[in-house]
Amino acid sequence: MRLRTRIVAGLLTGALAIGHPASPGGGPVEGVAAQASARPAYLDAWRPVPQRVRDLMGRMRLDEKLGQMIQAERLGITDPADITTYGVGSLLSGGSSQPTPNNPQTWADMYDGFQRQALASRLGIPLIYGVDAVHGHNGVYGATVFPHNIGLGATRNPRLAERIGAVTATEVAGTGIDWNFAPCLCVARNDRWGRTYESFGEVPQLASSLSTIVTGMQGRRLSDPASVLATAKHYVGDGGTLDGKDQGETNISEAELRAIHLAPFRTAIRKGVGSVMISYSSFNGVKLHANSYLINDVLKGELGFTGIVVSDYNGIDKIDGQPGFTPAEVTASINAGMDMVMVPFAWKAFIDTMRTEVQAGRIAMSRIDDANRRILTKKFELGLFEKPFTDRRLTATIGSKPHRELARQAVRESQVLLKNSGGVLPLAKKNNRIFVAGKNADDIGNQSGGWTVGWQGASGPTTIGTTILQGIRQAARPSSTVAYSKDGNGIDSSYDVAVAVIGETPYAEGRGDRPQGMGLDQADLDTLARLEASGVPVVVVLVSGRPLDIAAHLPKWAGLVAAWLPGTEGHGVADVLFGDTTRPDGCR
Ligand code: GLC
């Protein structure tokens, strides 16, 4: 009798079946039975993930499944208890959505607070929290900010990209965050596009080879403390729009789409990328957010993607080109294969609309279940049920010296020497009179670009790091003179060389589109005129998110270096100007 009861109890929990003690020390049978019914299988970490997913989904109500498909902006949560009540599956911090004050501790405290609300829900399903750590954990003041992808593309170094992915993930995990909306695997075919700097370059081979950054971010196991879920974005063809218009029309053949824009996603999926974000753009007139062929048939079918397909920010609203979402848009997108919906503020209305569409039979329950299976699988794989809170050991690594040294190495390797007449470079460290000018010489915000402590980035001392001018001053020996004038006033023929650090000021997404042309701005032209008039050889350092139209000016320059958007470690640029090619840690 007693044995049979124990067997039944064990079968309930699977404990006896595999020899696990149903309770420590094997309590009385009724205790085992009671314990067996109290502890649901999905909470057993030793069970295979598919079994845990199956058990959990078998317990979920419709509204709990709909809640799991919602990714709300943290600012869209007016009452934290709503996370518990609605079973919200995910939150995000959009580009400028940062806690105040903005530091690693406040981020971690914020994350843990939201997580406690999620765990208080009926089934205690943890939430997954996403950010755009697109060049380091760039939303956090004091974090290491790496060169943007356009610079990493210039390194041609997949191993370096992987290491950067790992360090970025460590700093992201140090604030509790588990999901990174990166890397952008876009292939920028028209530099007028404001997101050119988020791409690794204009050919698919660069995005494919540097998608090693995914491996760095996700680590050997998603459940490792410093691993986060990576996102291949934006699927598909965002970099191929007409005239480089952000969120525009990509009107090319399917063969071109596959060869140029799909190829990096194929590589990232082979590398196990855990999520894919859908592009705002359209392919031959069909919005990607409602493109069942490219999501269901190609991404999930042909490429066999089993992770989470997530929309872009209010991406579903944009399907019909009108503000807000309609039932038709919701149904079109969910049925096209969207699993997680980034609906920052109107998320309660979205749940209501989805429920109506499911109850009307326009969205099949099997589609809702497929989305939940994908979402919950990643949550189990990330270990969120076992370790839902910030691992504070990682918090202290944010902005650390070793991380900054890696970023400095990435800056060195990303510099592109385009002109060096008369051997003006490398600069001599000793007995040299160097005149530094330009709006981007002493500006950490300008050298970091967009997506830096704010969606659009900003000029000025926006975070902690080393400017290019500071790097030049650190490299020059006491026997040399380094003078600085932002606009070039004060230069005279007594100087041996002038270094003009010019280019673009920060922008992101559509605000960076340049349909009118790609020339230098007036401030730079005025600075250059002053320097060129002095007769001193001019070396230009171009800090920009893309190539600019400088052809007419090039003959007047002795040297030209494309620095791209180097991030916080501007001394990496100075290293190259002075010919320091040895790695900071000594190895070449
Ligand atoms: C933005 C971007 C996307 C980003 C998302 C969340 O609009 O298109 O790259 O991941 O919203 O911030």
Side-chain angles (χ1 to χ4, degrees), residues 504-515:
E504 296 187 304
T505 52
Y507 55 82
E509 302 194 47
R511 296 191 194 176
D513 283 2
R514 290 186 66 169

Side-chain angles (χ1 to χ4, degrees), residues 143-469:
T144 309
V145 178
F146 289 91
H148 268 296
N149 286 352
I150 194 78
L152 296 190
T155 70
R156 302 300 201 266
N157 188 338
R159 175 67 186 126
L160 175 68
E162 182 177 348
R163 293 177 64 199
I164 289 171
V167 165
T168 299
T170 301
E171 296 202 7
V172 169
T175 59
I177 310 288
D178 355 81
W179 190 357
N180 187 8
F181 305 134
C184 186
L185 294 179
C186 43
V187 181
R189 304 294 284 177
N190 187 320
D191 296 341
R192 287 176 176 73
W193 185 37
R195 305 194 76 164
T196 294
Y197 68 78
E198 294 187 62
S199 80
F200 289 102
E202 62 188 10
V203 293
Q205 292 81 355
L206 282 174
S208 294
S209 66
L210 295 167
S211 63
T212 48
I213 200 165
V214 168
T215 310
M217 287 179 192
Q218 298 192 154
R220 287 178 47 248
R221 283 183 308 276
L222 275 180
S223 59
D224 291 344
S227 295
V228 298
L229 193 70
T231 309
K233 72 181 187 181
H234 309 80
Y235 184 86
V236 64
D238 53 345
T241 59
L242 186 64
D243 299 331
K245 185 177 179 334
D246 189 41
Q247 305 186 19
E249 287 279 342
T250 300
N251 299 326
I252 56 179
S253 69
E254 182 171 337
E256 280 178 288
L257 184 79
R258 286 175 171 270
I260 298 169
H261 301 284
L262 187 66
F265 286 89
R266 190 186 300 274
T267 306
I269 289 167
R270 284 197 194 115
K271 286 184 167 68
V273 69
S275 67
V276 168
M277 184 181 291
I278 301 302
S279 175
Y280 284 125
S281 58
S282 303
F283 176 58
N284 293 339
V286 180
K287 282 280 185 185
L288 263 297
H289 273 73
N291 200 316
S292 178
Y293 169 66
L294 287 174
I295 300 174
N296 283 327
D297 300 352
V298 176
L299 178 60
K300 292 184 173 180
E302 182 186 326
L303 300 189
F305 179 64
T306 57
I308 302 171
V309 174
V310 62
S311 81
D312 203 333
Y313 197 96
N314 280 326
I316 293 176
D317 295 17
K318 300 172 184 244
I319 291 172
D320 66 3
Q322 303 302 317
F325 52 79
T326 63
E329 286 176 312
V330 170
T331 298
S333 196
I334 301 298
N335 287 344
M338 202 70 70
D339 302 314
M340 175 79 77
V341 181
M342 194 184 293
V343 48
F345 296 96
W347 56 272
K348 290 180 183 174
F350 201 98
I351 290 174
D352 293 342
T353 304
M354 270 200 292
R355 185 191 308 109
T356 303
E357 295 301 289
V358 169
Q359 289 168 343
R362 289 186 286 269
I363 296 176
M365 198 58 215
S366 58
R367 178 70 272 277
I368 300 299
D369 285 341
D370 173 48
N372 272 261
R373 195 169 299 114
R374 291 167 179 267
I375 293 164
L376 296 172
T377 295
K378 290 307 167 194
K379 289 187 174 182
F380 281 119
E381 288 176 353
L382 280 162
L384 288 177
F385 285 80
E386 285 70 47
K387 300 169 296 177
F389 300 113
T390 306
D391 183 337
R392 300 283 174 147
R393 295 170 299 173
L394 303 177
T395 312
T397 71
I398 295 173
S400 65
K401 186 168 179 5
H403 290 181
R404 291 180 185 276
E405 284 302 334
L406 179 66
R408 182 176 183 175
Q409 181 59 25
V411 175
R412 288 164 174 247
E413 295 191 30
S414 63
Q415 302 306 293
V416 183
L417 178 64
L418 295 170
K419 182 175 183 181
N420 185 17
S421 59
V424 68
L425 292 172
L427 301 176
K429 290 185 177 182
K430 296 177 183 173
N431 308 315
N432 202 349
R433 286 179 52 77
I434 304 168
F435 189 97
V436 180
K439 67 173 183 288
N440 291 347
D442 195 30
D443 193 310
I444 202 92
N446 286 2
Q447 71 188 46
S448 297
W451 294 104
T452 307
V453 194
W455 177 44
Q456 292 293 316
S459 300
T462 54
T463 189
I464 298 167
T466 305
T467 67
I468 295 166
L469 172 65

Side-chain angles (χ1 to χ4, degrees), residues 66-148:
L66 299 180
Q68 282 303 304
M69 295 170 67
I70 292 296
Q71 181 175 69
E73 161 60 53
R74 70 179 191 105
L75 296 172
I77 300 292
T78 49
D79 177 358
D82 281 349
I83 296 170
T84 311
T85 310
Y86 290 84
V88 174
S90 180
L91 294 177
L92 84 142
S93 277
S96 295
S97 176
Q98 288 118 20
T100 305
N102 178 354
N103 60 56
Q105 290 68 32
T106 56
W107 275 83
D109 295 344
M110 171 190 77
Y111 172 88
D112 288 352
F114 286 132
Q115 192 65 283
R116 269 190 287 277
Q117 294 293 343
L119 295 175
S121 59
R122 184 176 75 92
L123 294 169
I125 303 173
L127 63 76
I128 182 170
Y129 197 114
V131 292
D132 295 274
V134 295
H135 61 143
H137 199 0
N138 39 254
V140 178
Y141 179 85
T144 309
V145 178
F146 289 91
H148 268 296

